[in-house]
Amino acid sequence: MLLSRHGTDPQKAEWQFPLITEHIHVKSRDPLVAQLKHFFKVVKGMKEPRTSGEDATRTLAVAQAILKSGASGDPVDLLY
């Protein structure tokens, strides 16, 4: 994977400064397979879920609001 960033100096985090580029080795894996393996371990009690039910509910509310807004063309308020 190729990672580009401006470095650690916040004064040089503008487009006129060159980016620092570095190559990072990342093990390739199928994200769906990894997700299912984690889910099975959660079901078996071997791991804790990475997100809570509350987080999942909020994520679903955002996705539904996006669909509703896209269909109507109007903004949708999210209330938690």
Side-chain angles (χ1 to χ4, degrees):
M1 173 181 2
L2 182 63
L3 175 67
S4 295
R5 58 187 170 82
H6 284 289
T8 58
D9 184 352
Q11 299 298 322
K12 292 186 177 181
E14 301 289 336
W15 289 110
Q16 69 265 27
F17 297 102
L19 293 174
I20 297 168
T21 303
E22 61 183 293
H23 292 272
I24 301 173
H25 176 72
V26 177
K27 183 179 170 186
S28 178
R29 63 182 182 162
D30 184 327
L32 180 58
V33 172
Q35 182 180 6
L36 287 172
K37 285 181 179 181
H38 177 73
F39 176 73
F40 293 144
K41 289 178 182 177
V42 170
V43 170
K44 292 179 179 181
M46 299 165 60
K47 292 266 185 175
E48 289 293 319
R50 292 186 176 138
T51 61
S52 67
E54 292 83 11
D55 286 339
T57 301
R58 287 192 291 268
T59 301
L60 179 58
V62 169
Q64 289 174 326
I66 291 168
L67 290 172
K68 184 176 179 181
S69 179
S72 69
D74 297 323
V76 174
D77 289 328
L78 290 173
L79 304 174
Y80 294 113

